[in-house]
Amino acid sequence: MQFLQLVISGVAQGCIYGLIALGFVLIYKATETVSFAQGELMMLGAFGGLVAMTMLGFPYWLAVIAVLLAMVAFGVLLERLVIRPILGQPAFSIVMLTIGIGYVARGLITMIPGIGTDTNALPVPYKDEILKFGGNEMGIGALVLNVEHLVIIGATGILCALLFALFRYSKLGIAMQAASQNQLAAYYMGIPVQRLNGIAWGLAAAVAAIAGLLLAPITFVHANMGFIGLKAFPAAVVGGFGSLPGAIVGGLVIGMVESLAGFYLPDGFKDTAAYVVVLIMLMVKPNGLFGEKLRKKV
Amino acid sequence: MRFIFKTDYAQDINLAKHGGHVFWYSVLMVFLLAAPWLLTEYSLAQLNLVLIYAIAGLGLMLLAGFTGQFSLGHAAFLGVGAYTQAYLTGVGLPFLLSLGISGFLSALIGIVVGLPALRLKGIYLGMATLSFGFIIEEVFARWESVTGGNAGKSVAAIKMFGHDIGGGEGFYFVCLVITVACTLGILNLLRSPTGRAFVAIRDSEISAQSMGIHLAYYKTLSFSISAALAGFAGALYAHNLRFISPDQFNLLQSIDLLLMIVIGGLGSVHGVFLGAIFLIILPQGISAMKEFLPEFIGQAPGLKNVIYGTVLIAFVLFEPLGLYGRWLKVRTYLQMFPFYRKGMFKRQKSFQKSDRLK
């Protein structure tokens, strides 16, 4: 039971990592760049939810939709204003640029008087509900499930299905796949590559916001919650940078390893387990579990 | 404008291209030597920090700016140097010997990191070094018998030939000598075949390989030299602060180092120093500026982050060559005065080439 319990909480945590990693991968596939601001986008999403629910008094579902729309707009805007001017520059400059965006986002949120420096609880309708399975009458040995964890797992599943459908069946998704394989060729075929890049950023921001809204009930909403994005890098690498299912699988692997390491290994391994896994992965199979194989050219 | 007619191969690699260089660097050297008598104690301490960061920056510049391998975990090497120095001088080893060992140990760890990193590039290398940084930070926090754990470790003042050098002027001269030695070392390295091999690897790995450059050897070499310099800087950093704890060597410190070389100007040794000066002055500029701002902005806790981020974004967007690039443009403008045209340094726009196929 203990083991199952650990696995389920690991899976829930892993889903969060996976969702953030999904953002990395969406952006990486579309624009060939890596966004270090993904964790901060998640933080912005969570704060958006907080503002919508507590200050504006929106009901849960309305708040979620409002935050998603706002974050899509924000992502598109971000791409248009800061990312597009330096497309074609070395990957290193975009890494630095997104680190800068992360700094600004964290700083601006901290500057908001009142909620910026506090840790806030997000008032979701399913907070602190618990399901119990099995065990004896005293409840010993029972499998205790947090509804919050189940919601995370369920929402991730639905989101994955939606993304799969988008990339498999819609014209937009197929165009995005084409652009991600070869931007120049896609451009010649009449695909508006730049607009698609904007959409990819918007999509990544929305996915990050969902992760933030799902994570908020477990932890708290605070300005530094975006640092969890650093755990999502290992997830993306383990899955293979550039593979959407890989991101989720990598997230699950990292989440479970972390949860099990936290329980079975001595103190201090929990925080580094993800990075040990990623180092081993890079040594053994640098392209990740689902990485694409491409030949080198001069 | 000065035209230099090269009549000799040696002129290609001269460190000082003409008399003007010799003159201005001599002036700089005289100023630096006289600095303890010209500056206040506080500014001298800041100058010390600039020198220390410049040593670490030289290492990172060699790796990121000249070999094209960027590292997100460089603060870990700084930490290795600092803790080794703190431990060895605590045991009673003389300063110079422990400084050498700190650099050597950092270089060894650099090789250990560099070897698996040979197969990686771009963002994967970033991930590997990032992970390495996190793991080392955890080691610092957990290996309490050596590092003092999260409580930190105090470091003795420098002792040299039996004399206590302490802080202030003595320490400044120690830093200055080491910085000048490292700078000359890097400059000479860069004009040697090794340095050209580094630059060739940065520009195109495959072309470099086809010219007969042993990729694995040079990449590892670059990693180890870079780590050694960071180790030296860390050792001096430990003596400067007299107290070290694991959170001084975290990811934010690594990012600070990267920020420094990006703002200074990637791929130039001048840029390291400009970046280090900028990095030390920026927080003070911010606190000086706070008084002129309305209170709700000036006193807000996130102001420093916002300014850091904005500066970084502005440099990447508008001045990718950094402060040194800005200086080059100003100089070109002055030299060509009436004939300078707008857009001489304009970058070409293009669809990017796929990294995945490179």
Side-chain angles (χ1 to χ4, degrees), chain B residues 324-343:
Chain B
Y324 185 62
R326 175 48 53 190
W327 157 243
L328 278 185
K329 286 176 195 175
V330 170
R331 199 180 67 182
T332 314
Y333 179 80
L334 293 177
Q335 279 175 343
M336 306 183 63
F337 167 58
F339 304 115
Y340 185 86
R341 283 187 305 153
K342 253 182 123 176

Side-chain angles (χ1 to χ4, degrees), chain A residues 62-268:
Chain A
L62 194 58
V64 169
I65 292 169
V67 166
L68 285 187
L69 290 179
M71 287 303 286
V72 168
F74 181 71
V76 172
L77 204 69
L78 203 61
E79 197 272 343
R80 186 71 197 85
L81 290 182
V82 278
I83 308 293
R84 195 174 294 180
I86 59 163
L87 271 191
Q89 302 300 315
F92 181 70
S93 23
I94 300 198
V95 168
M96 291 315 284
L97 188 75
T98 48
I99 288 177
I101 294 171
Y103 264 102
V104 172
R106 239 179 296 135
L108 282 180
I109 287 291
T110 341
M111 279 170 91
I112 299 174
I115 58 171
T117 46
D118 291 353
T119 49
N120 315 276
L122 189 69
V124 291
Y126 52 88
K127 183 145 184 71
D128 289 334
E129 282 180 38
I130 281 173
L131 295 179
K132 276 186 187 172
F133 296 103
N136 57 17
E137 276 116 62
M138 302 291 286
I140 295 168
L143 182 66
V144 183
L145 295 180
N146 269 335
V147 176
E148 288 138 12
H149 287 173
L150 296 181
V151 169
I152 290 176
I153 297 171
T156 308
I158 294 171
L159 190 69
C160 290
L162 284 178
L163 280 177
F164 176 78
L166 172 75
F167 281 103
R168 183 79 173 72
Y169 298 113
S170 80
K171 220 173 176 179
L172 176 73
I174 291 167
M176 283 173 88
Q177 285 190 43
S180 103
Q181 280 179 9
N182 189 335
Q183 289 195 336
L184 201 55
Y187 187 69
Y188 288 154
M189 292 297 124
I191 292 173
V193 176
Q194 297 207 323
R195 199 186 305 159
L196 286 181
N197 287 351
I199 293 174
W201 271 84
L203 215 54
V207 173
I210 291 176
L213 289 172
L214 290 173
L215 181 67
I218 306 185
T219 59
F220 285 98
V221 182
H222 56 97
N224 286 335
M225 72 189 287
F227 282 120
I228 201 177
L230 293 171
K231 288 269 177 62
F233 279 118
V237 172
V238 168
F241 241 106
S243 150
L244 289 172
I248 293 289
V249 173
L252 295 181
V253 169
I254 296 292
M256 276 194 283
V257 165
E258 208 179 59
S259 161
L260 294 176
F263 189 76
Y264 291 110
L265 293 177
D267 227 15

Side-chain angles (χ1 to χ4, degrees), chain B residues 69-187:
Chain B
Q69 316 264 300
F70 77 105
S71 156
L72 281 167
H74 234 61
F77 296 120
L78 208 65
V80 169
Y83 276 108
T84 316
Q85 183 77 7
Y87 183 75
L88 290 179
T89 48
V91 167
L93 250 59
F95 168 73
L96 282 177
L97 184 61
S98 50
L99 183 74
I101 297 178
S102 303
F104 182 68
L105 201 65
S106 290
L108 271 189
I109 294 181
I111 292 176
V112 173
V113 182
L115 278 180
L118 290 177
R119 296 171 68 192
L120 312 171
K121 65 171 96 174
I123 190 61
Y124 288 98
L125 182 64
M127 288 302 101
T129 46
L130 182 92
S131 314
F132 163 72
F134 275 110
I135 292 170
I136 288 276
E137 195 193 331
E138 198 66 28
V139 170
F140 290 150
R142 299 280 161 187
W143 196 5
E144 290 181 357
S145 58
V146 173
T147 64
N150 278 320
K153 187 176 177 73
S154 58
V155 186
I158 296 183
K159 267 192 186 141
M160 226 184 215
F161 310 116
H163 295 287
D164 207 344
I165 288 186
E169 296 161 24
F171 185 65
Y172 168 73
F173 281 115
V174 171
C175 287
L176 184 62
V177 168
I178 295 176
T179 312
V180 170
C182 289
T183 313
L184 286 177
I186 288 289
L187 284 174

Side-chain angles (χ1 to χ4, degrees), chain B residues 110-351:
Chain B
I111 292 176
V112 173
V113 182
L115 278 180
L118 290 177
R119 296 171 68 192
L120 312 171
K121 65 171 96 174
I123 190 61
Y124 288 98
L125 182 64
M127 288 302 101
T129 46
L130 182 92
S131 314
F132 163 72
F134 275 110
I135 292 170
I136 288 276
E137 195 193 331
E138 198 66 28
V139 170
F140 290 150
R142 299 280 161 187
W143 196 5
E144 290 181 357
S145 58
V146 173
T147 64
N150 278 320
K153 187 176 177 73
S154 58
V155 186
I158 296 183
K159 267 192 186 141
M160 226 184 215
F161 310 116
H163 295 287
D164 207 344
I165 288 186
E169 296 161 24
F171 185 65
Y172 168 73
F173 281 115
V174 171
C175 287
L176 184 62
V177 168
I178 295 176
T179 312
V180 170
C182 289
T183 313
L184 286 177
I186 288 289
L187 284 174
N188 278 320
L189 182 75
L190 285 175
R191 59 183 190 157
S192 74
T194 315
R196 295 182 201 207
F198 288 160
V199 175
I201 290 174
R202 174 191 71 186
D203 291 343
S204 163
E205 279 189 13
I206 294 175
S207 314
Q209 204 170 17
S210 66
M211 303 290 276
I213 290 171
H214 194 311
L215 278 189
Y217 172 76
Y218 282 104
K219 278 187 181 177
T220 320
L221 186 67
S222 163
F223 243 103
S224 62
I225 295 175
S226 169
L229 285 175
F232 288 143
L236 293 174
Y237 183 82
H239 280 301
N240 187 46
L241 288 186
R242 308 290 287 280
F243 180 80
I244 46 177
S245 63
D247 58 352
Q248 288 163 348
F249 307 108
N250 57 10
L251 177 70
L252 294 179
Q253 176 79 279
S254 301
I255 291 179
D256 264 1
L257 288 174
L258 275 177
L259 192 125
M260 180 173 105
I261 62 167
V262 168
I263 287 177
L266 264 184
S268 74
V269 174
H270 288 101
V272 174
F273 289 89
L274 294 174
I277 293 170
F278 191 82
L279 193 72
I280 301 296
I281 287 182
L282 186 63
Q284 304 192 8
I286 293 173
S287 46
M289 201 178 67
K290 271 182 184 170
E291 297 178 10
F292 302 101
L293 287 172
E295 194 172 342
F296 70 98
I297 296 180
Q299 298 305 320
L303 183 68
K304 192 179 160 217
N305 273 343
V306 173
I307 293 181
Y308 260 64
T310 316
V311 165
L312 189 56
I313 294 174
F315 266 103
V316 175
L317 280 183
F318 304 117
E319 195 62 271
L321 295 172
L323 287 170
Y324 185 62
R326 175 48 53 190
W327 157 243
L328 278 185
K329 286 176 195 175
V330 170
R331 199 180 67 182
T332 314
Y333 179 80
L334 293 177
Q335 279 175 343
M336 306 183 63
F337 167 58
F339 304 115
Y340 185 86
R341 283 187 305 153
K342 253 182 123 176
M344 276 179 69
F345 286 91
K346 199 162 180 171
R347 281 174 292 171
Q348 282 213 313
K349 287 217 160 194
S350 64
F351 270 100

Side-chain angles (χ1 to χ4, degrees), chain A residues 31-32 180 233 278 283 297, chain B residues 119 131 352 355-357:
Chain A
T31 60
E32 199 81 13
S180 103
F233 279 118
V278 91
M283 266 179 241
K297 262 197 317 198
Chain B
R119 296 171 68 192
S131 314
Q352 61 206 131
D355 248 353
R356 282 171 276 179
L357 297 175

